[in-house]
Amino acid sequence: PRWPWIVEGVRASLSNDEGCASAVLAPLALDASTIDQLWRQSGGSCDARVEVAALEEAILASVEVVGKLLAPSLATVAGARPPARAPTALQRALFSAPVGGRFTPVASLASFTAYKFGPRIHCAAIKTLALLCSSAASLLPRPLPITTCLPNLTHSLPTVRSSMAQGPSEEPASDAAARAALVDLLAPGRARSQPREFCAVAELLLTAVRCQPDLAELLFFNSEDA
């Protein structure tokens, strides 16, 4: 950038100021299950659908900003774990449930990794979750297992449906269906037809195996066969 010190100043404020961090994460008070429900309730109402689409855009912006704030601090030699450091205000907020909240922001973000009704959110969430794997593994005084911040897989990825291509369904996903939504993106056919998603999921799998093995098992493997 032309004015790197300005960029770094903005990044530092958003990462280290509690008020700024809360503002960045505010859209993640809604998880994928809530947005899915709002789409179903909107019916044929044009106004309602516009409002839900606006919520999706806000969530997408939040997920992308989190990724941009985490990426520079995790820059390191390829394949190496980033150096340990004290958590920023943003990291503390990501892994902590808000007062009166139902879930942590990272759990909300994880729910969008299988959200096929908003492809841009879906891909951005996968990329940012991979960054969060490294981020949580580098925290002081000890690494944080992301799985402790997530509900069970069915609740964490509530929008995965057996009829995903046909639109939202009233039936909740099973753990197997939720897991399959990510694993399916690693198929050779997906690599050709959806290269961005394929690369994002591959990076998530590799990072999770290296930094968050419990999360890798949760998202990609059948625990009965592990």
Side-chain angles (χ1 to χ4, degrees):
R2 185 175 181 182
W3 309 107
W5 59 90
I6 296 179
V7 173
E8 287 305 313
V10 171
R11 179 178 290 123
S13 294
L14 293 176
S15 297
N16 297 309
D17 182 87
E18 291 184 3
C20 289
S22 295
V24 167
L25 299 178
L28 292 176
L30 303 174
D31 65 355
S33 176
T34 302
I35 299 299
D36 187 22
Q37 184 178 9
L38 290 173
W39 274 121
R40 293 198 302 269
Q41 293 174 346
S42 66
S45 171
C46 182
D47 289 344
R49 297 181 73 83
V50 168
E51 290 176 358
V52 179
L55 287 174
E56 282 190 339
E57 288 297 320
I59 291 166
L60 173 63
S62 178
V63 171
E64 289 181 335
V65 168
V66 169
K68 290 181 183 298
L69 293 175
L70 290 175
S73 66
L74 297 173
T76 185
V77 178
R81 181 168 295 191
R85 61 189 70 195
T88 63
L90 178 67
Q91 289 170 321
R92 289 194 299 269
L94 274 164
F95 300 117
S96 302
V99 177
R102 295 183 298 132
F103 40 72
T104 61
V106 72
S108 175
L109 189 151
S111 74
F112 287 98
T113 60
Y115 186 70
K116 297 298 183 64
F117 310 115
R120 290 190 300 157
I121 297 179
H122 165 60
C123 192
I126 292 171
K127 291 180 178 179
T128 301
L129 187 59
L131 291 170
L132 283 167
C133 285
S134 296
S135 178
S138 67
L139 295 181
L140 292 173
R142 63 182 62 85
L144 174 69
I146 286 184
T147 50
T148 64
C149 302
L150 301 178
N152 64 62
L153 185 56
T154 300
H155 292 157
S156 180
L157 307 174
T159 60
V160 183
R161 307 286 187 256
S162 59
S163 57
M164 182 67 74
Q166 287 72 42
S169 165
E170 295 294 335
E171 293 300 320
S174 66
D175 280 7
R179 188 176 295 109
L182 289 175
V183 174
D184 182 58
L185 287 172
L186 293 172
R190 293 289 191 180
R192 291 189 293 269
S193 63
Q194 295 176 276
R196 289 178 66 249
E197 288 82 355
F198 174 85
C199 290
V201 172
E203 178 63 23
L204 173 57
L205 174 58
L206 290 172
T207 307
V209 167
R210 185 175 72 247
C211 300
Q212 299 281 342
D214 288 347
L215 184 67
E217 180 178 344
L218 180 70
L219 294 179
F220 292 98
F221 301 101
N222 186 333
S223 59
E224 295 180 357
D225 297 334

